Amino acid sequence: MSDISQARSGQAATGQAPTGQVPTGQARATFAELFTPKLVTVLREGYGAAQLRADLIAGLTVAIVALPLSMAIAIASHVDPARGLYTSIIGGFLVGALGGSRFQIGGPAGAFIVLVASTADRHGLDGLLLATLMAGVFLIAAGYLRLGTYVKFIPYPVTVGFTAGIAVIIFASQLHDLFGLTLPGKEPADLVPKLEALTGAAGTANPAAIVLAVLTVAIIVGLKRWRPTWPGLLIAVAVASLAAAILHLPVQTIGSQFGGIPRSLPEPALPALSLDKAVAVLPDAFSFALLAAIESLLSAVVADGMTGRRHRSNCELVAQGVANIGSSLFGGICVTGLIARTATNIRAGAHGPASGIFHSLFILLFMLVAAPLASYIPLAALAGVLATVAWNMVEKPAVAALVKSSRGDALVLLATFALVIFRDLTTGIVVGFALGALLFIGRMAREVAVETHVPPVAEDRADDDSDGAGGARAAYDPASAADPDTVVYRISGAFFFGAAATLANVLDRIADRRHNFVLDCSGVPFIDSTAANVIEGVARKAAREGVRFVIAGASQQVEHMLATHGLGSDPAVFAPSVAVARERLKADGTAPNVSSVGHA
């Protein structure tokens, strides 16, 4: 999972204005418009047989991926596998029907394993269902209070750090089934005691379970490399199940451990309600809501980056809240937007939210028709599935870039990572955010100390002084205001994680219908890793759409930060000034002029 850059729209060249500013003659969006589900929007566009076929195929593709994952996540969360399927069926349906993202897939997430397992252990199934219901209420309230924008202000190192920490905990939670260990008592929840208990039980390892786990991982990795379009997760689990059944291997299966899965959905019912229980699970409900908001909005942002569409964050939060309430009523666990399954949905050719609805219906069909087959699935195979999921959750390139970019970003990353592993997720996010804010303040203080000669507001200059230092003034070129193919956008001021949340959508869309996009960073004193990640994402999208992207006037510090995050001669080009950028575009045989200039 990656691509954490979000924002609000607006710029002069495309006729849009930043959030909070209403363009002349354009009415502010109404409440109904902001919270209209994307499904309604897509149906209004026109929905025919071709679109239905595309969504059916995409829904089936995602369902094939979601089947083993839903059961594996539920088992790792210390509940029976059927509850993972309930979550995908109910949560996936409601997210698709009500969500503010066109391609979002909802269901149980690996990121929730630690929180859900801990809540189930401390408060039982009733407490878990109540916490899920309460989290849904919190998410609906957050959406209607329009707090979705603020969730996006979490710095990039924090999101990378907590994702990596969750991945480590997920992997540790699967060691028991990966090696087929037999523990004398209950497996400890905390990482260090868990590892000590597992090490002490090393002598009970089951060779058959190890072989099945290795086989599962090998098939998933091999198919991803040589047959990436094949459903690797389902094939791996099916092969492992066949091997275990045909060879009569002495391993734990879903049937031996849980008695299989039912062939229908349960009757909806409220979890046991009491004031004391609600107070007891309140911290867990808040953690569920916080993580669901972060995960779902990050997933929606990834979908935006892949498709060029825009999600409505607050509408998405409301849908996630309704989905969590619905899941709890049917005995399911926490629901959130799923980055990997959403990306699979897009790559499978989905047209709109109907694919998410179809994915849930296909899983329901599996329960109705093929539930008995699930009894043969070895737990070691599902552990192998989650082991690969945990490995893929760690954003290795992002971690390397953050460690190299600055000691401050590395500190935020490592602090968040360590606190998530050894403390809890909420503490890791809060402390990481606080460290990111302190880091920003420190950088601002250093910049003020170095740039004391620069006034806070630009002063008037003589007409014959082009740069404030007596340089020659360039002649006006009328074509620079008329060329429709090239656009220059200027960023002024510190470009950090808060500003990144505001400007990412602007930068993402400004190159629409343009051939050349020049980003003037001469007025940017510094840039942090979150903003660098934003620009890197915009550059990748520009390259994908054939738009040439040039970064002009960046200082050495800004250029170094951008280069650390993967920006170089490809897909972006650095130029010392906008004038030089124009000359390079002209030398390449394309229109060198500037059609409009935006300011942030």
Side-chain angles (χ1 to χ4, degrees), residues 552-598:
S555 66
Q556 185 176 0
Q557 185 268 347
V558 170
E559 185 171 330
H560 172 74
M561 177 65 79
L562 293 172
T564 301
H565 283 261
L567 283 167
S569 57
D570 185 20
V573 173
F574 290 105
S577 66
V578 172
V580 173
R582 294 179 189 176
E583 291 301 319
R584 289 181 180 176
L585 292 172
K586 185 185 300 184
D588 288 341
T590 58
N593 299 317
V594 179
S595 63
S596 58
V597 178

Side-chain angles (χ1 to χ4, degrees), residues 219-228:
I219 292 174
I220 293 172
V221 173
L223 289 178
K224 184 177 181 181
R225 180 172 182 179
W226 289 295
R227 292 291 186 272

Side-chain angles (χ1 to χ4, degrees), residues 69-155:
L69 270 179
S70 299
M71 292 186 286
I73 290 169
I75 293 171
S77 301
H78 298 179
V79 297
D80 62 84
R83 300 192 183 278
L85 297 178
Y86 301 158
T87 308
S88 288
I89 294 168
I90 302 301
F93 185 93
L94 292 174
V95 168
L98 303 175
S101 172
R102 189 178 181 118
F103 302 99
Q104 185 84 280
I105 299 295
F112 275 89
I113 288 175
V114 180
L115 292 175
V116 173
S118 174
T119 304
D121 291 343
R122 287 184 288 108
H123 302 291
L125 180 60
D126 283 341
L128 171 61
L129 297 180
L130 179 58
T132 303
L133 186 147
M134 292 170 61
V137 174
F138 293 159
L139 286 166
I140 292 174
Y144 284 135
L145 291 173
R146 306 191 185 188
L147 300 180
T149 303
Y150 299 99
V151 174
K152 303 172 185 177
F153 286 174
I154 296 177

Side-chain angles (χ1 to χ4, degrees), residues 127 190-191 245 292 401 435 534:
D190 294 335
L191 182 63
L435 287 175
V534 166

Side-chain angles (χ1 to χ4, degrees), residues 269-344:
L270 283 170
L273 297 174
S274 71
L275 180 60
D276 291 341
K277 196 72 169 179
V279 172
V281 301
L282 181 60
D284 303 283
F286 175 78
S287 297
F288 289 169
L290 177 62
L291 184 56
I294 295 171
E295 284 285 307
S296 61
L297 294 185
L298 293 185
S299 177
V301 167
V302 172
D304 289 349
M306 294 178 67
T307 63
R309 294 289 177 168
R310 296 265 70 81
H311 75 281
R312 292 193 296 275
S313 58
N314 294 306
C315 179
E316 182 63 25
L317 288 185
V318 172
Q320 296 292 336
V322 174
N324 274 277
I325 292 174
S327 178
S328 69
L329 295 179
F330 283 87
I333 57 178
C334 295
V335 178
T336 189
L338 306 158
I339 295 177
R341 273 163 270 181
T342 297
T344 300

